[in-house]
Amino acid sequence: MRGKKLYINTIGCQMNVYDSGKMADMLYRANYQLTDAVSDADLVIVNTCAIREKAVQKVYSFLGRIKKLKQKNPGLRLVVAGCVAQQQGRAIASRFPQVDIVLGTHAVQQLPDLIQELEKHPRQIIATEMTDFIDEPGPADFSCAGLSASRDGIISDFVTIMRGCDNFCTYCVVPYVRGREISRQPQAIIAEIESLVQAGIREITLLGQNVNSYGIKENLTSFPDLLAMVNAVTGLERIRFVTSHPKDLSDALIEAFGTLDKLCNHIHLPVQSGSSRILKKMNRKYTRESYLEKIEKLRAVSPDIAITSDFIVGFPGETDQDFQETMDLIDRVGFDSVFAFEYSDRPEAPASRFKDKISPEIKHERLQALFKRQKEITRRLHEALVGRRFSVLIEGASKNQIKHTADADAVELTGRTSENRIVNFKAPADWGIDIDRRKGETKGVKIEAAYSNSFWGVVADRPEMR
Ligand code: 5AD
Ligand code: SF4
């Protein structure tokens, strides 16, 4: 029986999801069991995001909730981790006395020790020192018991290959809260992936703010070579990576989509704006034209590659003309899907001091126009896939049980194609009801219907797409 209950609230990007997973695994070894109910918890961790003002507001309101819980249960411990912890350090501890530990972005590995320290001498602990080395977990942490029981059963996981960012896009807080770019040793990455594969993981997403510059500073393996090493891990089925900066997307990396059998047929390539003038003000170091050239090269290597992107609308000084160039780029590329955000001032980032801020109304209008345009494009792209057959990596039972079939006994499964498209399908009758066994298997599925965020299909033997 596990001693204590741990609740983790993860806000923000995959980097935080990875760090939260690591914290859960470390604390599992210290006798903590994850719970979904915050009211049951002995220890609450909020892993925070500072990328936009809205994300920071979410953190404050969560801290308010925990304050009330603590009044009822004074033994409850609260850790604030992630980017807001790093950004605000001692200030967050002073403003929120309910906080026990402020865990900066470079201090994740210290968490079990800090909790022990807290138990011995209750007080507010601030761990926000930044380091210029990566604190690698010891070999014992990569044992087969690597995944905590609550994470058991997942088939896809993240592995950080580098930390920080040196790009200083003018709107972005990341270089200030995650520090300078630093890459992990390839051997440590491969060891972690091998241990995850042994624990049942079939798909790995390699994480970094700018994976294309992996290893360059430290003169390690190049990113395409690292991908080839990961591709050689026995038992691993699929490899993904995020995020790729368009300025550093090399020909060698583009070629990898044609040569590495496990590398998924999808790239997330955030463009942010379709106007070269705005891209310059954002310090992105590429133009609209060079971005479009890279898309052409990718499609020359892999014609069916799914391309997704990020956009910021209403960057300071963005005119109607600039925004129209963004809309035009969206039409030209035909992204599978996009994430788009209204520009948000970050006090550390230089753009917060730029003139010609765009009004909230115009930002909102532009965002809605962008979403509307993209929705039409996604619909057209998705409809064109009806009748095609794809390899689907099965993730488990579908959330919308029996939405598509009249058959009351039917079990519906969900999985993803290599292009990262979600496909739900009915399990063939001879699979029985113990569908958990099917998790992690790859099956051919023929698409029968397209929706805005997913597809419906039937099992078909020979997939035409990997
Ligand atoms: N305002 C709005 N969106 C932002 N992003 C990063 N910083 C900001 C900001 N200050 C978006 C970018 C990035 C994604 C992770 O978040 O589109 O690619
Ligand atoms: Fe932020 Fe730019 Fe670095 Fe991405 S590349 S994390 S947007 S500074």
Side-chain angles (χ1 to χ4, degrees), residues 214-413:
Y214 170 81
I216 293 176
K217 232 161 119 171
E218 296 85 0
N219 207 7
L220 299 170
T221 321
S222 72
F223 184 58
D225 288 347
L226 178 73
L227 281 176
M229 288 168 72
V230 179
N231 199 69
V233 173
T234 315
L236 182 65
E237 289 252 334
R238 287 183 171 181
I239 310 167
R240 304 184 183 277
F241 60 81
V242 277
T243 290
S244 232
H245 194 307
K247 84 177 159 66
D248 299 316
L249 177 61
S250 65
D251 288 350
L253 182 53
I254 293 174
E255 286 304 321
F257 283 100
T259 53
L260 300 179
D261 60 326
K262 295 179 185 171
L263 184 58
C264 286
N265 198 23
H266 167 225
I267 186 165
H268 184 63
L269 199 60
V271 60
Q272 313 298 358
S273 168
S275 152
S276 294
R277 196 181 75 84
I278 293 295
L279 288 171
K280 193 158 197 298
K281 289 181 75 174
M282 289 176 163
N283 192 30
R284 291 289 286 178
K285 301 195 176 87
Y286 56 86
T287 60
R288 164 195 179 82
E289 290 71 28
S290 64
Y291 184 86
L292 289 168
E293 264 169 39
K294 301 227 165 155
I295 299 289
E296 248 177 59
K297 280 188 178 176
L298 280 162
R299 289 197 165 134
V301 170
S302 181
D304 282 311
I305 192 166
I307 302 172
T308 56
S309 199
D310 290 348
F311 288 86
I312 296 177
V313 299
F315 185 79
E318 183 187 72
T319 62
D320 277 339
Q321 167 69 30
D322 292 317
F323 179 63
Q324 284 319 313
E325 290 189 30
T326 293
M327 295 289 266
D328 180 69
L329 182 121
I330 287 180
D331 288 339
R332 276 179 195 232
V333 176
F335 294 105
D336 228 57
S337 62
V338 304
F339 296 99
F341 312 96
E342 292 175 18
Y343 166 78
S344 165
D345 264 342
R346 304 286 70 222
E348 295 89 345
S352 66
R353 295 180 291 279
F354 287 4
K355 292 200 194 70
D356 303 324
K357 294 281 166 61
I358 306 300
S359 73
E361 295 73 26
I362 293 186
K363 284 199 274 196
H364 184 74
E365 239 173 61
R366 288 182 182 166
L367 189 66
Q368 295 315 310
L370 190 155
F371 281 146
K372 184 161 177 263
R373 180 76 59 92
Q374 180 58 43
K375 210 171 158 193
E376 288 159 16
I377 294 169
T378 301
R379 189 179 53 78
R380 274 206 306 276
L381 285 175
H382 281 193
E383 278 171 5
L385 297 172
V386 173
R388 307 274 301 266
R389 281 171 281 127
F390 293 90
S391 273
V392 171
L393 179 61
I394 301 173
E395 290 175 3
S398 153
K399 276 193 215 125
N400 324 310
Q401 279 295 322
I402 323 297
K403 188 176 138 204
H404 298 88
T405 54
D407 177 359
D409 295 329
V411 182
E412 283 186 25
L413 297 178

Side-chain angles (χ1 to χ4, degrees), residues 165 167-169 171-172 174-175 209-210 245 272 284:
C165 183
N167 287 311
F168 293 95
C169 301
Y171 51 80
C172 187
V174 168
Q209 301 299 340
N210 178 14
H245 194 307
Q272 313 298 358
R284 291 289 286 178

Side-chain angles (χ1 to χ4, degrees), residues 82-152:
C83 293
V84 178
Q86 187 63 51
Q87 181 189 39
Q88 304 195 12
R90 189 162 295 282
I92 205 155
S94 318
R95 181 169 164 199
F96 300 96
Q98 65 270 38
V99 173
D100 294 292
I101 299 177
V102 179
L103 191 76
T105 54
H106 292 194
V108 173
Q109 295 288 334
Q110 296 172 32
L111 181 61
D113 292 344
L114 295 178
I115 290 173
Q116 271 194 0
E117 235 180 277
L118 181 73
E119 296 306 336
K120 272 192 236 144
H121 310 286
R123 68 201 186 283
Q124 283 190 313
I125 299 178
I126 322 285
T128 49
E129 213 175 296
M130 285 203 158
T131 58
D132 55 7
F133 58 89
I134 292 193
D135 203 1
E136 286 290 356
D141 294 326
F142 290 145
S143 69
C144 281
L147 286 178
S148 57
S150 324
R151 286 178 7 98
D152 199 13

Side-chain angles (χ1 to χ4, degrees), residues 25 54 95 112 183-184 212 230 347 358 382 414 425 443 449 461:
D25 292 347
K54 266 190 197 157
R95 181 169 164 199
S183 297
R184 291 178 68 192
N212 311 27
V230 179
I358 306 300
H382 281 193
T414 189
F425 60 99
K443 278 283 161 200
D461 274 348

